[in-house]
Amino acid sequence: MKVNDIIKNLEILGTRGDLNRFVSDIQYDSRKIEKDQAFIAIKGYQTDGHRFVSQAYENGARVFFSEEKIDLPEATVVYLKDNRKALPIISRTFFHQPDKKLKIIGITGTNGKTTTAYLTYSILQKAHWKPGLFTTVKYFDGKAWHNSERTTPESLDLFRIFYRMTQAGLKSMVMEVSSHALSLSRVEGVHFLAGVFTNLGRDHLDFHQTQENYFLAKRRLFEGMNESQRAVLNEDDPYSERIKHSSEAEIYTYSLKNPAASVSYVQHQVQKEGLQVKLKIPSGEITIKTKFLGTFNIYNIMAATATGVGLGIPDNFMVEGIESLMRVPGRCEHYPTPDGYSVYIDYAHTPDALQNILHAVWETRPQSLIVVFGAGGDRDRGKRPVMGKAAEDYGDKIILTNDNPRSEDPMAILNDILAGISDKSRVLVIPDRREAIHTGLKMARNKDSVVVAGKGHENYQEIKGIKYPFDDREVLKEFFERRQWIFPAEN
């Protein structure tokens, strides 16, 4: 595509050089630049892309989008006021507006986004909507599954993935939408057929500063929606009422408490292998059997069901879609052991999420509940003692260990958690996460449960700026293999 065509929807401050120059691709990472590709300099929180203009030039870039003056031989420069805000417009134009060819469902909230996304994706599969998927864990572009680097990618990467999905013949797409993405214009211009709100708890206050700012970021997904779009809201969360008043979308609700909601809870049974849930929907009642546990997963199931209702998907496809999903990576993953105790691996890294998974496992009535967890460094410190209190409320034995300490002193993080625990006699502090997990497993006896929380699907541990290979599931697998137990295969 020529530069002239790329900038046709932009408000530009000025240009320099040949605007008929051909651009084969666009990059914001100078290290990825190849000949005939354009470089857009993005000002981030840790570094400024303008510092790498020379490197991009050396790697072959001759077209630049910049907020600062560039004086390089034979360079074509488009000057913009705010490159970050322009990036989604540039990306959408360059990839031929691929979002218009997809029915996109965006899911936002503090907890439950990933599971709700997988459930909704599974429903759309059964309904033959040919869906793609993008979550914190993985994404599917129609040809292959890939590991995700973040919950919602930069707009350039996102539109590139949309384009690949359309090229692969996909017709719909389910994606998580983070508060960071909404604040940083990553999904600006994306047309969502439906937006889903799961809940709002405490998270990311290191970035948003206040809970109100955090909510306002989430609400942006629904602002500007019209009557042709759907807003699917958790009626039991008080923030949903404020979303209703800010959107012109057609509203669908789900509730554990209000029988008048679009999808409402009737009853459930906790069974050995999961839950049996009965829900009321506009066409009547449906019964769903699932491998998932906990009230929080009933909410996730209701969110996906309400989305299906809003999209007009037949009841049987909704039931089949939910029941066919056996596991979500790093989300309440259950591993029974030959010794009669159970192990659960979960991504819970907020107070609400930790309380949810612990309550769910507690409902299975274990003889003793052992909790292994920590908290991330360089993140909201205020949530650490609250997480400690949640662990004490449910755990008979608590092992505090490293999560991703990042640049912080690991012991300082653990002491912050410890401050929220009154009965410290129930606590072991073992900074080495592998040793901590093994200790918890060795402590377990028949009919006990061990919850390993905080990292879930992650396959690394970040310490002092370095990401070391580490996977809670691999540590569990090691433990199984040492005992010559068969490790359950992934579904």
Side-chain angles (χ1 to χ4, degrees), residues 409-481:
D409 175 6
M411 283 308 302
I413 297 172
L414 299 181
N415 285 331
D416 285 344
I417 300 171
L418 199 58
I421 301 174
S422 301
D423 184 5
K424 294 178 174 55
S425 67
R426 288 150 61 184
V427 182
L428 286 177
V429 177
I430 305 176
D432 184 285
R433 192 171 179 92
R434 177 175 271 97
E435 181 186 347
I437 293 171
H438 278 238
T439 299
L441 297 173
K442 290 174 184 175
M443 291 167 64
R445 298 293 180 265
N446 184 39
K447 297 184 180 180
D448 287 353
S449 287
V450 181
V451 173
V452 181
K455 293 183 62 60
H457 64 281
E458 291 181 347
N459 58 7
Y460 65 88
Q461 190 170 36
E462 187 175 347
I463 303 171
K464 300 296 182 185
I466 300 174
K467 288 185 176 181
Y468 297 94
F470 193 95
D471 189 323
D472 287 350
R473 293 165 297 183
E474 289 299 317
V475 175
L476 179 58
K477 188 176 181 180
E478 285 174 12
F479 189 85
F480 270 60
E481 289 174 347

Side-chain angles (χ1 to χ4, degrees), residues 105 120-129 131 172 174 311 313:
I105 294 91
T120 305
Y121 168 77
S122 189
I123 289 172
L124 297 188
Q125 276 189 311
K126 294 297 180 181
H128 311 292
W129 276 43
S172 65
V174 183
L311 298 175
I313 292 174

Side-chain angles (χ1 to χ4, degrees), residues 99 102-109 113-114 116-118 120-121 124 131-136 138-139 150-155 158-159 161-162 165 172-178 181-182 186-188 190-192 194-196 221:
D99 57 310
L102 296 167
K103 295 175 180 177
I104 302 175
I105 294 91
I107 301 169
T108 197
K113 295 189 298 298
T114 300
T116 300
Y118 269 88
T120 305
Y121 168 77
L124 297 188
L133 179 67
F134 201 106
T135 73
T136 305
K138 289 179 179 292
Y139 71 92
R150 57 178 61 160
T151 300
T152 312
E154 283 288 358
S155 56
L158 185 61
F159 279 100
I161 291 166
F162 287 163
M165 288 180 173
S172 65
M173 194 261 200
V174 183
M175 64 177 291
E176 293 184 52
V177 185
S178 69
L182 290 159
R186 291 179 192 160
V187 293
E188 196 73 28
V190 176
H191 180 80
F192 290 96
V196 184
L221 178 62

Side-chain angles (χ1 to χ4, degrees), residues 192-211:
F192 290 96
L193 177 59
V196 184
F197 173 67
T198 60
N199 50 65
L200 196 82
R202 177 170 182 152
D203 203 11
H204 303 306
L205 296 192
D206 52 299
F207 179 82
H208 296 289
Q209 300 302 312
T210 67
Q211 191 74 3

Side-chain angles (χ1 to χ4, degrees), residues 34-54:
E34 296 178 8
K35 185 182 178 183
D36 293 329
Q37 294 184 353
F39 177 69
I40 180 165
I42 302 294
K43 290 182 178 178
Y45 284 87
Q46 296 182 334
T47 189
D48 183 348
H50 292 86
R51 292 173 48 203
F52 303 98
V53 166
S54 295

Side-chain angles (χ1 to χ4, degrees), residues 29-283:
D29 185 338
S30 60
R31 295 167 297 185
K32 295 181 179 180
I33 285 287
E34 296 178 8
K35 185 182 178 183
D36 293 329
Q37 294 184 353
F39 177 69
I40 180 165
I42 302 294
K43 290 182 178 178
Y45 284 87
Q46 296 182 334
T47 189
D48 183 348
H50 292 86
R51 292 173 48 203
F52 303 98
V53 166
S54 295
Q55 183 183 34
Y57 184 84
E58 290 171 5
N59 288 344
R62 291 298 181 268
V63 175
F64 300 87
F65 297 91
S66 178
E67 298 169 28
E68 300 176 4
K69 184 179 179 181
I70 294 176
D71 189 13
L72 292 168
E74 300 180 357
T76 296
V77 186
V78 178
Y79 292 106
L80 302 166
K81 182 179 180 181
D82 188 327
N83 280 3
R84 178 171 288 285
K85 288 186 176 180
L87 184 59
I89 302 171
I90 292 169
S91 305
R92 193 168 191 256
T93 301
F94 185 78
F95 290 108
H96 307 286
Q97 300 180 327
D99 57 310
K100 292 177 69 175
K101 301 172 186 176
L102 296 167
K103 295 175 180 177
I104 302 175
I105 294 91
I107 301 169
T108 197
T110 303
N111 300 310
K113 295 189 298 298
T114 300
T115 300
T116 300
Y118 269 88
L119 287 165
T120 305
Y121 168 77
S122 189
I123 289 172
L124 297 188
Q125 276 189 311
K126 294 297 180 181
H128 311 292
W129 276 43
K130 296 183 179 179
L133 179 67
F134 201 106
T135 73
T136 305
V137 185
K138 289 179 179 292
Y139 71 92
F140 176 65
D141 62 7
K143 291 187 176 179
W145 287 91
H146 310 269
N147 291 327
S148 302
E149 293 184 7
R150 57 178 61 160
T151 300
T152 312
E154 283 288 358
S155 56
L156 179 62
D157 303 316
L158 185 61
F159 279 100
R160 181 179 281 113
I161 291 166
F162 287 163
Y163 177 74
R164 282 172 17 201
M165 288 180 173
T166 61
Q167 293 299 105
L170 298 186
K171 302 298 182 183
S172 65
M173 194 261 200
V174 183
M175 64 177 291
E176 293 184 52
V177 185
S178 69
S179 58
H180 289 75
L182 290 159
S183 297
L184 298 173
S185 304
R186 291 179 192 160
V187 293
E188 196 73 28
V190 176
H191 180 80
F192 290 96
L193 177 59
V196 184
F197 173 67
T198 60
N199 50 65
L200 196 82
R202 177 170 182 152
D203 203 11
H204 303 306
L205 296 192
D206 52 299
F207 179 82
H208 296 289
Q209 300 302 312
T210 67
Q211 191 74 3
E212 178 67 8
N213 289 342
Y214 180 38
F215 164 69
L216 293 176
K218 295 288 188 185
R219 192 175 69 176
R220 286 177 190 165
L221 178 62
F222 305 92
E223 293 172 347
M225 280 189 169
N226 58 44
E227 62 276 1
S228 70
Q229 298 165 286
R230 287 80 158 165
V232 180
L233 308 177
N234 177 359
E235 196 162 282
D236 297 340
D237 190 294
Y239 284 99
S240 288
E241 194 64 28
R242 292 176 63 185
I243 294 175
K244 283 183 188 179
H245 294 302
S246 69
S247 180
E248 297 297 321
E250 186 176 358
I251 303 294
Y252 291 85
T253 58
Y254 60 96
S255 173
L256 207 68
K257 304 170 184 176
N258 183 2
S262 308
V263 173
S264 62
Y265 166 85
V266 178
Q267 66 179 35
H268 81 279
Q269 295 177 349
V270 179
Q271 301 174 333
K272 185 178 181 181
E273 293 301 321
L275 297 172
Q276 179 172 295
V277 184
K278 183 178 286 188
L279 302 176
K280 182 170 73 69
I281 62 176
S283 61

